[in-house]
Amino acid sequence: MSHPKRGRQVEIATVAIGLIFAAAAVWAPGYATSAKTHAMAAADGPSDQGPQVARQDGDIALGKQVFRYETFGNEGFWTDAVRLPQGIAAAKVTPMQALELGLQVDVDAIDPATQRALAEQLRKDPSGRTSAILNDPAMTAVLIKANAVVGMSPKGDKVGATCALCHTMADASVFKSPKGGAIGHRIDGLANHVLNMGTIFATAANSRALYPILELDLAANKHKALGRAPTGLTATSSEAEVDAYLKNPKYYPVGMFDDTFDGNGDPMHNSPLFRQDLAAPYGSGGAIAKLDNFGNLVYTTLLDPTNLTTPGGRALLHKLGGAAGDEIADNYVKVLAATGVKGYPYVIAAPHPQPGSEEAPAGVRVDNAKLLAMNAYLVSLQAPHGAYVPADVVMRGRETFRTAGCTGCHNVDQGRRVPSTIHPMAEIFPGDHPVMLARREPPLNPVLNTPGSIFDDKMAIVNASMRGEKRGIAMPLLLDLARKPVFLHDNSVPSLDALLQPRRGPKAPHPFYIADPARRADVVGFLRNLDTGS
């Protein structure tokens, strides 16, 4: 069978792992429609595409190295504070166990002799269960030192973290674990949907050092936590208590990373970093407008959160969270002292003339030339081909997508940038009935939370009001959806079909449905087939 666009079949099994499908709007004929929706009938996208954000690109070759290997000094945090390498060694984690946690291994970084030996062992036993290499704890350290464990970058006797940890997959040309980790050639830019970040963190010898990006019990919040766990962690919580939180998939699901430092315990699903020229703004809430600013935020607050204890970091926490932000900073200093962490912050960054701005939220910025170089590389990375779907299904699904109101929010053509507008929370989540937890200085909106829902937790503190926009949802790329295991940024929907099922109800997040089963199946096929050439 040939692909309807390319004359060749693209097997679903080879479609690379894709992006977060955060609140993509698909309206149901006769269900939850509006005058605006009807006005958009048979359109190829919303009339308001939003402003295009200017971007500056640097050297692509340098950007590739930055994306894959640059740590900007965070090896100090991961080795001296969190002590992840020490925890891996103490737990005697084997390469097979690392793969079961969703980690990826770059075969091109493994020495030829080891490659040959591994190939022979897998030839005899493709399951890898009897492989001496894959079941030897000492080989894990060897692979990390060789820069073969994707996203774990060795720097001398220390190990740091890079963007590739969450946004690169191996092609499984050598081996694939049933749980998702793989050995093969790198495919940069793809979201790692199988990465068990919580358990990886729990393996560290001092997971308490991750304090700001855990779900916290704060006096300023009257000891009420917003996250998935019934109670939050405190500054005196033990290592075992922190590990229990991180290892619990109900609290820290697979494929997710908590990318805010607000103490809410709001991990979100990993997103892709291919074709980032099409993707602005960034973050599920659209808090960051520019790609290089997003990279700087990650490096200066998430891959080394000890920077939050500096005057600039404290100012950011106070601006966003008031007394709760101050408490996070004060408690973090106590946690670091109690666990013997010294010499922080570790990130190598320079003071910025506009502290608190999007360019430098915590008052510092890593090497700007490297950030702009990474821009160029992430823009150059191509999206994977869509899954093979029969041409007649694609045609019918596209027509329903165009006429049912989906294009009131989304473009049909995924080679066109996503609309940069922010959709208000009440529109994307009609069940959003938040209570005000704290007031904030404009343009920041008040801290709002809907009790009983985790969908809006991600936008409680960090949202687009940071740049004068509304609290709401940014539109995602509708690409690489065939291999995505769950949908919405909170992992709450198990399939595309379930996402479009009216039985989820009118108050659910993204309550935009295709009621007719045949039409819904066509739209699902259309979405799975999408790529930038659609």
Side-chain angles (χ1 to χ4, degrees), residues 235-303:
T236 58
S237 291
S238 67
E239 183 76 8
E241 289 170 328
V242 174
D243 290 348
Y245 164 77
L246 290 168
K247 289 190 291 187
N248 190 327
K250 293 181 180 179
Y251 304 156
Y252 211 116
V254 172
M256 303 187 93
F257 173 59
D258 195 336
D259 66 345
T260 54
F261 37 82
D262 52 17
N264 286 347
D266 47 19
M268 63 171 283
H269 201 88
N270 286 339
S271 60
L273 287 180
F274 52 70
R275 288 305 304 269
Q276 290 300 286
D277 55 318
L278 305 176
Y282 302 95
S284 55
I288 303 295
K290 291 188 175 183
L291 181 58
D292 46 284
N293 293 342
F294 181 74
N296 184 67
L297 177 70
V298 170
Y299 276 109
T300 58
T301 62
L302 297 174
L303 296 183

Side-chain angles (χ1 to χ4, degrees), residues 78 82 197-204 207 210 213 243 246 252 257:
W78 294 103
V82 179
M197 189 66 84
T199 299
I200 292 170
F201 285 165
T203 305
S207 57
L210 296 165
I213 54 175
D243 290 348
L246 290 168
Y252 211 116
F257 173 59

Side-chain angles (χ1 to χ4, degrees), residues 109-122:
I110 302 174
D111 68 89
T114 303
Q115 286 189 38
R116 290 191 296 270
L118 178 59
E120 177 61 19
Q121 291 169 14
L122 292 174

Side-chain angles (χ1 to χ4, degrees), residues 29-315:
Y31 187 89
T33 54
S34 66
K36 175 183 175 183
T37 306
H38 289 300
M40 294 307 300
D44 287 329
S47 57
D48 181 9
Q49 293 283 316
Q52 184 158 6
V53 179
R55 190 191 66 255
Q56 185 178 355
D57 296 339
D59 178 73
I60 291 178
L62 173 60
K64 180 178 182 179
Q65 299 303 306
V66 174
F67 174 80
R68 290 184 171 187
Y69 309 120
E70 183 60 72
T71 64
F72 294 106
N74 70 46
E75 63 272 11
F77 176 70
W78 294 103
T79 304
D80 297 336
V82 179
R83 300 162 195 158
L84 180 59
Q86 299 93 312
I88 290 172
K92 296 183 178 180
V93 175
T94 67
M96 182 68 82
Q97 290 170 331
L99 292 167
E100 289 173 350
L101 293 175
L103 289 166
Q104 308 295 307
V105 175
D106 179 6
V107 67
D108 297 311
I110 302 174
D111 68 89
T114 303
Q115 286 189 38
R116 290 191 296 270
L118 178 59
E120 177 61 19
Q121 291 169 14
L122 292 174
R123 186 189 65 79
K124 294 178 179 178
D125 179 5
S127 75
R129 288 192 295 268
T130 61
S131 166
I133 291 173
L134 294 184
N135 293 283
D136 180 3
M139 279 302 302
T140 304
V142 171
L143 292 174
I144 292 174
K145 188 175 182 179
N147 231 334
V149 179
V150 171
M152 292 188 178
S153 187
K155 305 292 180 183
D157 61 349
K158 299 181 181 181
V159 179
T162 76
C163 295
L165 180 62
C166 293
H167 307 287
T168 290
M169 296 297 292
D171 67 3
S173 55
V174 175
F175 178 75
K176 181 175 176 60
S177 164
K179 294 190 177 180
I183 304 174
H185 308 292
R186 288 176 180 252
I187 309 175
D188 287 340
L190 305 180
N192 189 335
H193 295 311
V194 295
L195 190 64
N196 192 338
M197 189 66 84
T199 299
I200 292 170
F201 285 165
T203 305
N206 186 27
S207 57
R208 292 179 66 193
L210 296 165
Y211 178 80
I213 54 175
L214 303 174
E215 182 178 340
L216 302 179
D217 176 325
L218 299 172
N221 291 341
K222 299 180 181 179
H223 303 288
K224 295 181 180 179
L226 297 188
R228 297 167 184 261
T231 58
L233 298 160
T234 71
T236 58
S237 291
S238 67
E239 183 76 8
E241 289 170 328
V242 174
D243 290 348
Y245 164 77
L246 290 168
K247 289 190 291 187
N248 190 327
K250 293 181 180 179
Y251 304 156
Y252 211 116
V254 172
M256 303 187 93
F257 173 59
D258 195 336
D259 66 345
T260 54
F261 37 82
D262 52 17
N264 286 347
D266 47 19
M268 63 171 283
H269 201 88
N270 286 339
S271 60
L273 287 180
F274 52 70
R275 288 305 304 269
Q276 290 300 286
D277 55 318
L278 305 176
Y282 302 95
S284 55
I288 303 295
K290 291 188 175 183
L291 181 58
D292 46 284
N293 293 342
F294 181 74
N296 184 67
L297 177 70
V298 170
Y299 276 109
T300 58
T301 62
L302 297 174
L303 296 183
D304 179 13
T306 63
N307 195 51
L308 295 168
T309 67
T310 68
R314 284 177 172 273

